[in-house]
Amino acid sequence: ETGVTQSPTHLIKTRGQQVTLRCSSQSGHNTVSWYQQALGQGPQFIFQYYREEENGRGNFPPRFSGLQFPNYSSELNVNALELDDSALYLCASSASRTEAFFGQGTRLTVV
Amino acid sequence: QQPVQSPQAVILREGEDAVINCSSSKALYSVHWYRQKHGEAPVFLMILLKGGEQKGHEKISASFNEKKQQSSLYLTASQLSYSGTYFCGTIDQGAQKLVFGQGTRLTINP
C-alpha cells in the first residue's frame, strides 16, 4: 500500500470522447507526476505538478492537460481521444525530488 | 533524455545472480529503481543520491557512479518473487521530472 489511489481502475471510451482520471497523493507529498505506459514499454512522462503549478512536461500534445488541487490531489484530462491513447495511466506522488510512489493505475481503452 | 537499460531481458535459475545497468547521457541528480509485475503498478525499490553511493534492500542492492552517470542494480541469490520488469528512473541535475528507461525483464525459473 503506497497511499496513492487512482480512479477509476478501468475505463472504456470511444474515439473522440474526453476522459478525466483522478489521483489522490500520499499524505505529506506535494508533487504529482503522470505517466502513460503502453504494453511492454516503460512509463512515459506526461507532466508534473508541484504545489498546484505545472513544472515539467513530456512530449505529449496539448489535449493532455491536468490540474492539481490545494490538497495535492490531481486530475489528468485527455480530450479528443485517439486509439493510441489506450494505455495504463499511472500517477506518482512524491515530496519534490525524493522517491516517488505509484498508484495502481487506470487502464484506459479507446475503441 | 531517457536512460538506457541493459540487458533488455534476463532469464535465471533460482539462486543465481543478476546485474541490471542503467546509463544516462546527462549529469544525474538521482537514480531510482522500481520493479513492476505483470498487470501491476511499479513498486519503489530504492533511490540513490550521491556519487558512489551504494544501497541495499535484502538481497537487492544498487550502486551509483555519478561521474560515469551510471547505476547498477544487483540481485543476489535470486528468488522466484524477484521476477518482473525492472525500471530505472533518473532525475537530471537541475531538473524535476523522473524519466524512466525502457525496462529489463527478469525471469526466474525454479
Side-chain angles (χ1 to χ4, degrees), chain A:
Chain A
E1 285 285 325
T2 62
V4 182
T5 57
Q6 292 185 239
S7 62
T9 54
H10 296 83
L11 200 52
I12 300 175
K13 288 285 191 178
T14 303
R15 190 172 48 183
Q17 285 188 313
Q18 177 265 345
V19 69
T20 297
L21 309 182
R22 295 178 174 83
C23 173
S24 294
S25 60
Q26 186 169 320
S27 177
H29 286 179
N30 53 21
T31 302
V32 173
S33 302
W34 285 92
Y35 294 86
Q36 180 194 67
Q37 187 176 28
L39 207 60
Q41 303 293 318
Q44 296 297 309
F45 179 78
I46 303 175
F47 44 57
Q48 180 183 83
Y49 279 84
Y50 170 69
R51 292 186 177 181
E52 303 178 60
E53 298 280 334
E54 183 183 297
N55 75 334
R57 190 176 182 92
N59 294 326
F60 281 81
R63 59 189 184 84
F64 285 78
S65 63
L67 282 173
Q68 187 178 32
F69 300 99
N71 66 354
Y72 302 132
S73 65
S74 178
E75 286 183 356
L76 164 66
N77 299 290
V78 186
N79 293 322
L81 283 167
E82 300 176 0
L83 297 179
D84 285 349
D85 295 335
S86 296
L88 179 66
Y89 288 84
L90 297 160
C91 80
S93 154
S94 65
S96 193
R97 302 164 96 189
T98 63
E99 55 265 40
F101 296 96
F102 283 91
Q104 81 280 18
T106 294
R107 174 75 60 187
L108 173 65
T109 303
V110 183
V111 297

Side-chain angles (χ1 to χ4, degrees), chain A residues 35 37 39-45 48 55-58 88 90 96-105 107, chain B residues 2 29-30 32 34 36 38-42 44 47 49 87 91-102 105:
Chain A
Y35 294 86
Q37 187 176 28
L39 207 60
Q41 303 293 318
Q44 296 297 309
F45 179 78
Q48 180 183 83
N55 75 334
R57 190 176 182 92
L88 179 66
L90 297 160
S96 193
R97 302 164 96 189
T98 63
E99 55 265 40
F101 296 96
F102 283 91
Q104 81 280 18
R107 174 75 60 187
Chain B
Q2 187 178 28
Y29 170 78
S30 62
H32 307 227
Y34 290 78
Q36 185 176 30
H38 184 70
E40 300 179 7
F44 173 77
I47 180 174
L49 293 172
F87 292 100
I91 298 180
D92 298 341
Q93 290 280 6
Q96 298 290 330
K97 62 183 184 182
L98 177 61
V99 180
F100 288 90
Q102 79 279 17
R105 176 174 286 184

Side-chain angles (χ1 to χ4, degrees), chain B residues 1-51:
Chain B
Q1 194 82 12
Q2 187 178 28
V4 177
Q5 289 184 233
S6 63
Q8 289 189 321
V10 184
I11 300 175
L12 299 175
R13 288 196 178 276
E14 197 173 6
E16 292 181 336
D17 301 340
V19 180
I20 300 171
N21 300 303
C22 174
S23 64
S24 175
S25 59
K26 292 193 169 185
L28 298 175
Y29 170 78
S30 62
V31 179
H32 307 227
W33 286 96
Y34 290 78
R35 176 172 61 213
Q36 185 176 30
K37 294 189 180 279
H38 184 70
E40 300 179 7
V43 173
F44 173 77
L45 295 176
M46 64 188 79
I47 180 174
L48 301 106
L49 293 172
K50 298 178 183 177

